[in-house]
Amino acid sequence: MDSSSTRMSLYLCNPHKYLCCPSRAASFRIFVHHHRLFSSAKTHLASAQTPITPVPRTVTMPVSTPTTTLSAIEQSKRLAAYTAVDKHILPEHKVIGIGSGSTVPYVVERIVAQGRELNKDRVFIPTGFQSKELIVMSNLNLGDIDQFPTIDVTIDGADEVDLDLNCIKGGGACQLREKVLAEAANTYADYRKNAEYLGTNFTPGVPIEVLRKLQNVLGSPNATLRMAKAKAGPVVTDNSNFVIDAPFPRETMMNPSVILAKIKMLTGIVEVGLFCDMAQAAYFGNEDGSVTVKRKVGSRVVEESILPS
């Protein structure tokens, strides 16, 4: 890809909730997206008028748990994260987006392992509170999307991924900021999020960030306002909005870009957790130590394997 016009990012997903394609080997996905300027998204995020200088802290990242004590799923997550960083976070990348999810700590761990000399001139942009804390705790340089509207690489997660590398994101209620950074992204998800169609195993539905309660006009009869688990009332996003989870039938989810466009046209919709036609490649960390790579070549998705060394 022409480095002057394209960049890359990554998504993460939480593998502990939903099982996708159980007959397939355990794996994680990573997606590569084209980067574009985020001028239109600036209005959604708080602006930073002055450069942000990282504040030194005595807190350090926890020491990696030995491989022998990690479950097979955790080993697969770490394998996918490490492979993503090794393949796509290169020395020339200076502005890097960091998403949220259970695999992101492994990504940050691998980035830190690239060395202080390489990271001292990099800036890391978070998609939410979790990634911000990881960046600061790792003594990496914290930045803001308003300061750095062009990002070289973003790492994030997905809740489910289909055969065409479309994703559902927003299980953590961060879909707006994730999509801003994910305009160019590598995405990885664990094998249990691998599905033929979106919504197959991620049963809560499409996460939709809204300004007010709109579940009755979304065309999803079972849409519900997402309620908080550790507080009274609904979940409130980092942008002080509500989240509606809207399940749709399979025939609708077979073409997710159509329902995405319809929902986006409704007044009061902030962002929809459907990430369509954004991924260019996917990496899966498998239980046997290999990595399965799926990437788009023209209109096709081709697959190859990277065997353990």
Side-chain angles (χ1 to χ4, degrees):
M1 293 185 293
D2 182 356
S3 61
S4 65
S5 60
T6 58
R7 286 146 298 276
M8 298 177 292
S9 341
L10 303 168
Y11 303 120
L12 291 181
C13 47
N14 185 341
H16 302 290
K17 298 179 181 176
Y18 307 99
L19 179 64
C20 300
C21 297
S23 62
R24 303 182 64 166
S27 61
F28 281 91
R29 291 192 183 186
I30 298 170
F31 301 95
V32 182
H33 297 266
H34 292 290
H35 238 300
R36 291 180 289 277
L37 294 180
F38 306 125
S39 57
S40 62
K42 292 183 182 180
T43 58
H44 296 291
L45 303 176
S47 62
Q49 301 299 327
T50 58
I52 300 175
T53 302
V55 179
R57 296 190 180 184
T58 57
V59 181
T60 57
M61 289 293 289
V63 177
S64 299
T65 307
T67 302
T68 54
T69 65
L70 291 178
S71 67
I73 290 176
E74 288 300 313
Q75 290 184 46
S76 296
K77 288 164 59 177
R78 187 171 67 175
L79 176 63
Y82 279 20
T83 304
V85 172
D86 293 346
K87 293 288 186 181
H88 297 290
I89 300 186
L90 306 178
E92 60 266 27
H93 296 146
K94 301 301 181 184
V95 182
I96 299 169
I98 301 294
S100 57
S102 62
T103 312
V104 170
Y106 295 124
V107 172
V108 175
E109 180 179 273
R110 193 63 165 179
I111 291 172
V112 171
Q114 290 185 342
R116 185 180 301 274
E117 186 66 24
L118 195 59
N119 286 318
K120 69 178 183 179
D121 296 323
R122 287 172 166 171
V123 176
F124 296 86
I125 315 298
T127 61
F129 181 83
Q130 179 205 19
S131 51
K132 179 180 178 181
E133 288 296 295
L134 283 170
I135 292 168
V136 173
M137 290 175 64
S138 301
N139 292 316
L140 299 172
N141 299 322
L142 178 67
D144 185 87
I145 188 65
D146 285 330
Q147 296 172 277
F148 302 95
T150 301
I151 301 175
D152 297 318
V153 179
T154 299
I155 300 180
D156 203 343
D159 294 302
E160 192 169 47
V161 185
D162 69 12
L163 296 178
D164 295 320
L165 308 186
N166 299 312
C167 306
I168 287 180
K169 291 176 50 60
C174 298
Q175 60 264 36
L176 171 59
R177 295 177 184 236
E178 287 171 342
K179 188 167 284 190
V180 170
L181 270 65
E183 287 290 330
N186 296 313
T187 301
Y188 49 95
D190 88 66
Y191 68 100
R192 297 183 297 177
K193 301 301 176 67
N194 177 23
E196 185 175 1
Y197 301 109
L198 296 180
T200 301
N201 299 287
F202 187 76
T203 56
V206 177
I208 304 170
E209 186 169 349
V210 298
L211 294 174
R212 56 186 179 85
K213 294 175 65 175
L214 292 171
Q215 60 262 43
N216 294 330
V217 299
L218 294 173
S220 172
N222 296 318
T224 58
L225 182 67
R226 187 183 300 179
M227 303 304 291
K229 295 182 179 180
K231 65 176 281 291
V235 168
V236 178
T237 70
D238 289 347
N239 310 301
S240 300
N241 299 314
F242 296 145
V243 174
I244 291 173
D245 292 308
F248 292 94
R250 166 166 288 197
E251 55 269 22
T252 298
M253 298 306 294
M254 289 176 65
N255 194 347
S257 60
V258 173
I259 188 62
L260 169 62
K262 289 181 178 179
I263 297 174
K264 289 282 285 185
M265 291 296 292
L266 296 173
T267 301
I269 298 297
V270 178
E271 192 50 80
V272 182
L274 289 172
F275 290 59
C276 301
D277 301 319
M278 300 177 76
Q280 296 299 315
Y283 290 71
F284 301 81
N286 303 310
E287 287 181 311
D288 63 0
S290 65
V291 177
T292 300
V293 183
K294 290 185 178 181
R295 55 190 176 86
K296 285 187 177 179
V297 178
S299 60
R300 299 182 301 115
V301 176
V302 299
E303 179 178 320
E304 61 181 330
S305 295
I306 301 175
L307 300 178
S309 56

